């Protein structure tokens, strides 16, 4: 009960002092706002890159052609060996066998020319088409290693895959994604630092208040908590504009492009529930940055 | 009964200035004591050590059996809650009303609002400011502001009230008014220690007087013995 009263008074007083020291509060709030906008852009970028990579990874297939003279038993056995390889997908559909007779039939069905050419090669021995496997990988950036492992399997003739283009693209995107993480973290740290400096100025102007608090018997906690709540409020206020920008900005961007860029090469992440999770994330970052900044700032002013 | 015991306390500041030299003195419960002496003789330093704003370089200071010198910065609030302190410059919150300024000292302990109200009204009555509760410090005279500071210092019922030149900014008539308030508080059982320059007032009050000189006790007068001409 006593604690609850102390806490609710602290909240009331910190709320008041955000407005009593409004010009200084505005400085902290704008500082948080700007960072959060950049953080939001970085998150949107990285989420979309993520989505793109995921889709590409799902589509990229390695085709493994076997030697012409491979026996039917050997053909069957190779599936197991392929599945042994590290990066190969675990699902049944990740390794699909393409029997040479089956391929021949598919080709013959697809056009009359093929049908007339392939007509006479109607046994495994005479059919010159190669048996094949379609393989999907888990991590596309490690594709080269997988391919060389596949090539080493006895009976494998050639291995074909996206000519390196897609992997390079995905690798670049991976770097982009990692870079955005670094940028986001760096920004958050810088803001916490800036905020604590801004709040330090605020607190300096309120040194008198702190001295009086100490004089009448306030513990360090008694002094710190209102300032920490104040930081929390500043953080929440600082996240309002970024949240509005994200919510309306991303939705209208999505609608404008109809959810797709470069034809349908890149599909954008759907705004719902994406914008809500970003908003939640922004408000939490704002609160943490505000509180940590305040806490750092008061600490410097207290004799501990 | 000794409420405050100072044993061989010395204080040398970082600058090398020794403000208090091997000083020993006792204050009894319920006493009213004046500490006087020339500028720079160490009066403020002595009482700062009582409310643990400064620590003695050597020696001990017991308040109610606790060695104040040993209290860490983190724990200072514990001793502050047992003392009231009043300064020459009042130290009020300018953006808060008289009521809020006094209530502030109780709010941080989580005292229930109705209890705060009762206590604040009572002390404002005691210092004669009952009908100014809603005013802001800048709307009050110096004497009235000092009364607010006194009200804040005593609102949680401390055993000791320490005043560093409480009348330093006030004219003689107003000063006497403040002294009368302090005397009333003392009559209610609080030990009052007052540092002052104003020997005329000390003369009129007829209390125990300690005269400091260069960090040492120069002279002591028991209650009623002090005469203005003495220094
Ligand atoms: N924080 C400090 N750091 C260094 N020296 C100090 C400090 N505070 C006081 N002093 C020195 O200690 C001596 C005693 O100072 P103190 O403030 O106790 O005197 P005082 O008797 O209260 O004087 P006054 O009547 O002018 O208030 C002085 O020489 C002063 O310069
Ligand atoms: Mg002094």
């Amino acid at each position: 009960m006593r604690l609850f009263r102390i806490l609710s008074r602290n909240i009331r007083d910190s709320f008041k002092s955000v407005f009593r020291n409004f010009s200084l509060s505005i400085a902290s709030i704008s500082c948080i706002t700007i960072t959060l906008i950049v953080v939001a852009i970085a998150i949107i970028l990285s989420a979309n890159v993520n989505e793109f990579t995921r889709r590409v990874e799902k589509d990229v297939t390695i085709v493994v052609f076997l030697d012409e003279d491979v026996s039917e038993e050997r053909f069957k056995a190779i599936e197991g060996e392929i599945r042994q390889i590290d990066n190969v997908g675990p699902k049944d559909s990740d390794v699909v066998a393409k029997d040479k007779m089956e391929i021949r039939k598919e080709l013959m069905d697809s056009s009359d020319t093929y049908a007339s050419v392939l007509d006479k090669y109607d046994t495994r021995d005479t059919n010159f088409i190669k048996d094949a496997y379609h393989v999907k990988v888990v991590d596309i950036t490690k594709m080269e290693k997988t391919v060389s492992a596949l090539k080493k399997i006895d009976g494998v003739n050639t291995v074909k895959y996206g000519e390196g283009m897609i992997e390079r693209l995905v690798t670049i995107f991976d770097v982009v994604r990692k870079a955005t993480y670094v940028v986001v973290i760096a920004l958050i740290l810088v803001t916490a630092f800036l905020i604590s400096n801004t709040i330090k100025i605020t607190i300096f102007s309120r040194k008198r208040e702190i001295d009086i608090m100490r004089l009448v018997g306030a513990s360090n906690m008694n002094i710190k908590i209102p300032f920490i709540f104040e930081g929390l409020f500043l953080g929440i206020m600082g996240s309002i504009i970024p949240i509005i920008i994200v919510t309306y900005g991303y939705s209208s961007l999505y609608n404008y492009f109809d959810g797709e860029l470069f034809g349908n090469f890149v599909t954008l992440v759907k705004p719902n529930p994406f914008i809500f999770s970003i908003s939640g994330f922004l408000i939490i970052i704002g609160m943490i940055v505000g509180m940590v900044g305040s806490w750092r700032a008061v600490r410097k002013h207290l004799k501990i | 009964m000794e409420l405050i015991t100072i044993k061989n306390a010395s204080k040398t500041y970082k600058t090398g200035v020794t403000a208090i030299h091997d000083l020993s003195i006792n204050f009894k419960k319920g006493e009213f004591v004046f500490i006087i002496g020339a500028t720079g003789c160490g009066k403020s330093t002595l009482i700062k050590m009582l409310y643990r704003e400064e620590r003695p370089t050597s020696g001990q200071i017991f308040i109610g059996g606790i060695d104040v010198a040993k209290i860490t910065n983190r724990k200072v609030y514990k001793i502050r809650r047992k003392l009231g302190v009043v300064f020459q410059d009042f130290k009020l919150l300018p953006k808060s009303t008289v009521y809020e300024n006094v209530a502030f000292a109780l709010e941080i302990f989580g005292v229930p609002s109705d209890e705060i109200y009762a206590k604040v009204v009572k002390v404002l009555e005691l210092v004669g400011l009952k009908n100014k509760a809603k005013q802001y410090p800048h709307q009050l005279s110096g004497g009235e502001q000092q009364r607010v500071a006194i009200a804040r210092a005593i609102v949680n019922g401390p055993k000791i009230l320490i005043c560093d030149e409480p009348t330093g900014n006030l004219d003689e008539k107003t000063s006497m008014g403040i002294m009368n308030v302090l005397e009333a508080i003392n009559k209610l059982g609080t030990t009052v220690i007052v540092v002052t320059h104003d020997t005329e007032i000390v003369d009129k009050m007829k209390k125990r007087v300690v005269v400091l000189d260069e960090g040492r006790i120069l002279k002591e007068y028991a209650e009623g013995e002090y005469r203005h001409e003495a220094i």
Side-chain angles (χ1 to χ4, degrees):
Chain A
M1 215 31 219
R2 200 175 69 92
L3 268 177
F4 175 74
R5 269 196 299 269
I6 293 177
L7 217 61
S8 63
R9 277 170 194 156
N10 278 333
I11 292 172
R12 177 202 65 195
D13 290 344
S14 8
F15 201 70
K16 269 193 206 160
S17 84
V18 168
F19 292 99
R20 272 184 188 164
N21 305 289
F22 200 64
S23 52
L24 285 162
S25 301
I26 283 288
S28 307
I29 291 172
S30 349
C31 182
I32 297 177
T33 300
I34 291 166
T35 315
L36 289 184
I37 289 173
V38 181
V39 167
I41 292 170
I43 294 172
I44 287 173
L45 207 83
S46 129
N48 277 296
V49 167
N50 236 342
E51 170 76 4
F52 174 75
T53 315
R54 215 170 46 80
R55 274 171 46 89
V56 167
E57 273 175 352
K58 230 167 53 192
D59 289 350
V60 169
T61 307
I62 304 175
V63 183
V64 181
F65 294 102
L66 305 188
D67 292 330
E68 253 172 76
D69 56 356
V70 82
S71 69
E72 211 167 343
E73 296 77 57
R74 182 67 199 135
F75 172 53
K76 296 258 159 62
I78 284 173
E79 177 169 354
E81 285 175 38
I82 291 175
R83 285 191 185 277
Q84 294 279 303
I85 294 170
D86 245 357
N87 194 24
V88 169
K91 282 179 293 187
D92 272 355
S93 60
D94 287 338
V95 180
V96 178
K98 292 280 179 183
D99 187 282
K100 60 162 87 167
M101 300 311 283
E102 201 182 310
I103 299 172
R104 170 177 169 269
K105 190 167 172 299
E106 275 173 22
L107 288 171
M108 287 171 72
D109 287 348
S110 70
S111 87
D112 288 345
T113 326
Y114 280 139
S116 62
V117 173
L118 293 171
D119 189 38
K120 56 183 175 193
Y121 306 103
D122 58 353
T123 64
R124 270 195 76 81
D125 289 341
T126 53
N127 184 353
F128 60 87
I129 295 173
K130 295 184 178 87
D131 286 315
Y133 276 102
H134 287 191
V135 177
K136 290 198 169 156
V137 293
V138 179
D139 182 355
I140 212 156
T141 57
K142 293 186 190 124
M143 190 117 114
E144 248 155 83
K145 258 176 85 184
T146 315
V147 167
S148 61
L150 285 167
K151 277 182 181 158
K152 282 194 195 109
I153 294 174
D154 189 33
V156 169
N157 181 287
T158 40
V159 178
K160 291 224 163 189
Y161 63 106
E163 312 290 302
M165 239 296 282
I166 306 259
E167 299 95 278
R168 240 168 287 150
L169 200 62
V170 168
T171 309
I172 290 166
F173 276 16
D174 209 47
V175 171
V176 169
R177 197 170 54 185
K178 279 175 186 149
T180 51
Y181 292 155
V182 173
V183 167
V184 166
I185 290 168
L187 270 173
I188 290 170
L189 291 179
V190 166
T191 321
F193 181 75
L194 282 177
I195 297 284
S196 77
N197 276 339
T198 318
I199 295 175
K200 222 180 281 172
I201 298 168
T202 325
I203 289 176
F204 186 72
S205 72
R206 285 155 66 190
K207 191 169 180 333
R208 191 185 165 78
E209 198 177 321
I210 293 180
D211 285 346
I212 294 172
M213 287 174 96
R214 286 182 71 82
L215 192 69
V216 298
S219 66
N220 285 337
M221 265 300 147
N222 283 144
I223 296 171
K224 267 188 227 164
I225 288 173
F227 284 103
I228 291 173
F229 273 118
E230 202 171 320
L232 183 85
F233 289 135
L234 295 176
I236 293 172
M237 291 183 189
S239 62
I240 293 173
I241 293 174
I243 285 176
I244 292 173
I245 291 179
V246 166
T247 311
Y248 290 97
Y250 188 71
S251 303
S252 40
L253 190 89
Y254 186 88
N255 291 337
Y256 181 77
F257 287 111
D258 249 345
E260 284 166 348
L261 293 181
F262 313 116
N264 61 2
F265 188 57
V266 176
T267 314
L268 296 174
V269 180
K270 286 207 179 64
N272 189 357
F274 183 51
I275 49 173
F276 298 108
S277 31
I278 294 189
S279 301
F281 186 71
L282 290 181
I283 204 165
I284 288 169
I285 300 261
M287 287 182 340
I288 292 174
V289 161
M291 287 198 295
V292 171
S294 276
W295 176 74
R296 263 177 48 99
V298 242
R299 224 168 47 132
K300 292 248 161 91
H301 272 283
L302 293 174
K303 294 186 202 162
I304 294 175
Chain B
M1 200 181 84
E2 311 296 352
L3 182 59
I4 301 173
T5 304
I6 301 177
K7 264 192 200 165
N8 307 104
S10 294
K11 173 71 189 180
T12 304
Y13 284 107
K14 281 198 201 93
T15 53
V17 177
T18 301
I20 296 291
H21 289 274
D22 193 26
L23 188 148
S24 298
I25 193 168
N26 299 326
F27 299 113
K28 286 193 172 56
K29 187 168 184 293
E31 239 181 336
F32 193 125
V33 191
F34 281 109
I35 298 173
I36 60 174
T39 285
C41 71
K43 304 181 295 292
S44 294
T45 303
L46 181 64
I47 59 167
K48 274 181 185 166
M49 293 193 295
L50 290 181
Y51 60 88
R52 233 322 311 266
E53 182 66 23
E54 296 290 351
R55 273 182 210 244
T57 320
S58 64
Q60 293 156 310
I61 296 175
F62 292 100
I63 297 181
I66 299 166
D67 190 350
V68 185
K70 289 217 178 86
I71 295 174
T72 60
N73 280 333
R74 206 178 258 286
K75 296 269 165 68
V76 164
Y77 70 94
K78 292 195 171 168
I79 192 77
R80 297 281 167 85
R81 291 177 185 190
K82 292 184 181 149
L83 321 158
V85 191
V86 172
F87 297 92
Q88 182 172 2
D89 62 353
F90 323 132
K91 297 204 193 297
L92 300 177
L93 297 171
K95 289 175 189 165
S96 303
T97 63
V98 167
Y99 180 89
E100 287 167 345
N101 263 287
V102 180
F104 182 62
L106 292 172
E107 283 189 340
I108 55 176
F109 308 133
V111 178
S113 301
D114 47 349
E115 204 176 302
I116 291 181
Y117 180 79
K119 284 187 171 172
V120 174
V121 169
K122 212 177 115 199
V123 288
L124 286 181
E125 206 164 350
L126 180 64
V127 300
L129 282 179
K130 202 181 157 198
N131 47 17
K132 304 245 164 153
K134 294 213 175 87
Q135 314 237 359
Y136 287 87
H138 67 89
Q139 298 168 317
L140 303 177
S141 72
E144 286 169 333
Q145 291 187 45
Q146 191 58 292
R147 286 162 194 256
V148 178
I150 293 171
R152 182 183 64 198
I154 61 167
V155 73
N156 55 9
K159 293 203 163 53
I160 305 166
L161 178 61
I162 297 170
C163 311
D164 196 348
E165 312 212 18
T167 59
N169 282 340
L170 308 173
D171 64 34
E172 207 194 315
K173 192 164 157 273
T174 318
S175 297
M176 261 333 277
I178 295 291
M179 285 301 158
N180 291 335
V181 169
L182 294 178
E183 192 167 25
I185 291 164
N186 176 245
K187 289 247 161 69
L188 294 172
T190 308
T191 304
V192 177
I193 300 172
V194 181
V195 166
T196 185
H197 271 122
D198 196 336
T199 48
E200 261 175 58
I201 281 186
V202 178
D203 200 16
K204 281 184 194 151
M205 295 292 289
K206 312 256 181 278
K207 303 291 182 190
R208 180 182 172 194
V209 178
V210 177
V211 187
L212 289 190
D213 183 40
E214 293 188 345
R216 296 185 176 83
I217 296 175
L218 179 69
K219 236 173 172 180
E220 262 201 78
Y221 298 91
E223 208 164 299
E225 280 182 4
Y226 178 79
R227 292 294 171 272
H228 182 30
E229 304 75 41
I231 57 170

